[in-house]
Amino acid sequence: MSLMSEQTIAAPIDDEPQVRGFTRYQSFLIALLSFTQFTLILDFIIMSPLGAILMPSLNITAGQFGVAVSAYAFAAGISGILAAGFADRFDRKKLLLFFHVGFMLGTVLCALAQNFHVLLLGRIVTGLFGGVIGSVVLAIVTDLIPLQLRGRAMGVLQTAFAASQVLGVPAGLFLANHWNWHICFVAIVGLSIVAIAVVALFMEPVTAHLKLQHDSNPFRHLIATVGQPRYTLAFLVTTLLATGGFMLMPFGSAFTVHNLGIDIVHLPTIYLVSGLFSIVIGPLVGRASDAFGKYPTFVFGSAMSIVMVLIYTHLGQVSLTVAILVNVLMFVAIASGLVLLMISREELALDRSLRGREAARAAAIVRGGELSAISALRKDAREAPEVDHMGEHWASIGAKGVAIDGGSFDLAVSDAEGRFNVNALRSGEVAPVLIFQKLAGI
């Protein structure tokens, strides 16, 4: 028999269709999620610049201020781990609204705080809810933005970090200097209300992931991921960099005012210039990593960080120009390491995505081979039902060691008749059915 007449042979698997640009809704969604990220990041980083104003206002020590800053990070880490067990079981829009409302209520507590304990409670509540928002935003982008445009979408989301530092922090310090520090958190509450209202009214539900089966335990997957050496090393380096940076950053404004002798009204200028330089330097670090290699660039940035931190922590009374120059160089050095880690993380994510595509293609090829064999067997059953043996044409269908992305492909048709006479099933008796089910593993 000839199989060429059967049109069930698997068609070639073409690459994913090219997508030229975002749709109108995708553009709106990315802008909305970027604005959401802006409010989240601004609330996180605004504490550090406010240190010189907060500590005397609430009559708290530097140690207590450090606890208030770190409480957000600890709470965010705990909530992120706990949310891994249920985050994929709900509509992502509802999840985003739930956690953003909780984040806003925590910010309200910070705005109303008149003592250290209320401020600490506010930072804990804000961290518990805010720590999940970033993950939900990235999950929404992954679900709704095609792979070809996902990098561009992530790049737009990253502008929220730059905007919060360049626009948000100087504006917050300006408001704090001209009114009081409470107004900074009130402004963030106002921005959050706008974001929540727009999400609730105009964002469509994100539920496609609910149709997928989630048989694996997310915590088991997390433990398995951490157990891989390259991920363990990446997590360790990220932890060390973040720890080193946040040993300095929370006390930057107080150190600048009390140790460097810079007037508090000039703090917005220092953070504005540092933020602008970080925007310019980020892409340059990426280009340097492509030209010279990631590890040499990372080593250079780390060495520069050590030198600049030593200079910064041994400064005395200096002019505003010197303070800006040292701050810029130090922030650029620290940001270099963080940018390289972000690049490496994106490459790992891309590697996982490519492996997923390879697995999907392999599954499609296997399914196509199975359908080809089934089609040939069905045709044989119609044309020659009285004969079944390995000398027929259907038995020649097969492939061995055919190279495909990520491995090889084998296909063979075996003779089940040699193990069991399938014609016995036509009798309707129970015994042949039970034997067949046992052999087939049903």
Side-chain angles (χ1 to χ4, degrees), residues 162 165-167 169-170 173 266-281 320-329 331-332:
Q165 188 170 0
V166 175
L167 302 175
V169 172
L173 287 172
H266 295 308
L267 284 179
T269 304
I270 295 176
Y271 281 94
L272 175 62
V273 175
S274 300
L276 289 172
F277 270 90
S278 67
I279 294 175
V280 175
I281 294 298
L320 177 62
T321 303
V322 173
I324 290 176
L325 177 62
V326 173
N327 267 275
V328 166
L329 292 176
F331 275 102
V332 165

Side-chain angles (χ1 to χ4, degrees), residues 16 19 142 145-152 349-350 353-354 357:
E16 294 182 8
V19 182
T142 302
I145 305 300
L147 182 63
Q148 301 95 321
L149 300 176
R150 203 168 296 160
R152 196 186 309 177
L350 179 60
S353 176
L354 291 176
R357 288 185 64 182

Side-chain angles (χ1 to χ4, degrees), residues 206-237:
V206 185
T207 57
H209 62 285
L210 299 178
K211 301 175 184 178
L212 303 177
Q213 296 294 325
H214 301 284
D215 297 328
S216 60
N217 187 307
F219 295 106
R220 188 179 304 166
H221 175 71
L222 177 63
I223 294 173
T225 301
V226 175
Q228 298 186 30
R230 65 172 181 167
Y231 289 115
T232 303
L233 180 61
F235 294 146
L236 179 61
V237 173

Side-chain angles (χ1 to χ4, degrees), residues 66-375:
V67 170
V69 173
S70 59
Y72 181 104
F74 282 114
I78 293 172
S79 66
I81 294 174
L82 295 178
F86 64 84
D88 285 336
R89 301 178 183 177
F90 299 94
D91 174 7
R92 299 204 197 282
K93 174 185 175 180
K94 294 180 180 179
L95 207 64
L96 180 61
L97 286 172
F98 172 77
F99 283 103
H100 208 153
V101 169
F103 165 81
M104 183 195 67
L105 294 177
T107 308
V108 169
L109 284 176
C110 295
L112 299 176
Q114 298 295 329
N115 55 62
F116 167 72
H117 296 95
V118 176
L119 177 65
L120 179 62
L121 177 62
R123 297 314 293 167
I124 292 174
V125 173
T126 306
L128 285 173
F129 289 92
V132 183
I133 293 177
S135 300
V136 175
V137 167
L138 294 178
I140 292 173
V141 171
T142 302
D143 285 351
L144 300 184
I145 305 300
L147 182 63
Q148 301 95 321
L149 300 176
R150 203 168 296 160
R152 196 186 309 177
M154 293 296 183
V156 176
L157 286 179
Q158 295 298 329
T159 60
F161 290 86
S164 62
Q165 188 170 0
V166 175
L167 302 175
V169 172
L173 287 172
F174 177 83
L175 293 174
N177 286 330
H178 287 76
W179 282 277
N180 57 64
W181 63 267
H182 298 275
I183 199 68
C184 297
F185 292 102
V186 172
I188 295 174
V189 170
L191 294 174
S192 297
I193 291 175
V194 172
I196 291 171
V198 175
V199 169
L201 294 175
F202 300 105
M203 182 175 169
E204 298 175 1
V206 185
T207 57
H209 62 285
L210 299 178
K211 301 175 184 178
L212 303 177
Q213 296 294 325
H214 301 284
D215 297 328
S216 60
N217 187 307
F219 295 106
R220 188 179 304 166
H221 175 71
L222 177 63
I223 294 173
T225 301
V226 175
Q228 298 186 30
R230 65 172 181 167
Y231 289 115
T232 303
L233 180 61
F235 294 146
L236 179 61
V237 173
T238 304
T239 301
L240 291 175
L241 282 175
T243 301
F246 283 102
M247 288 176 69
L248 287 175
M249 292 179 185
F251 307 101
S253 62
F255 181 82
T256 301
V257 171
H258 300 298
N259 293 66
L260 304 186
I262 304 299
D263 194 294
I264 197 169
V265 298
H266 295 308
L267 284 179
T269 304
I270 295 176
Y271 281 94
L272 175 62
V273 175
S274 300
L276 289 172
F277 270 90
S278 67
I279 294 175
V280 175
I281 294 298
L284 295 180
V285 172
R287 291 185 180 182
S289 68
D290 292 335
F292 304 106
K294 295 178 179 59
Y295 181 71
T297 308
F298 177 77
V299 171
F300 174 79
S302 299
M304 184 178 173
S305 299
I306 294 173
V307 173
M308 293 312 304
V309 167
L310 289 174
I311 294 174
Y312 178 75
T313 53
H314 287 80
L315 285 177
Q317 300 283 317
V318 296
S319 65
L320 177 62
T321 303
V322 173
I324 290 176
L325 177 62
V326 173
N327 267 275
V328 166
L329 292 176
M330 185 179 67
F331 275 102
V332 165
I334 295 174
S336 298
L338 295 176
V339 167
L340 286 172
L341 284 177
M342 292 174 62
I343 293 174
S344 299
R345 183 187 66 183
E346 292 299 325
E347 289 183 345
L348 288 173
L350 179 60
D351 179 66
R352 290 195 299 269
S353 176
L354 291 176
R355 289 181 181 274
R357 288 185 64 182
E358 291 175 357
R361 290 187 176 193
I365 292 172
V366 170
R367 182 57 179 161
E370 290 178 348
L371 291 175
S372 298
I374 292 172
S375 174

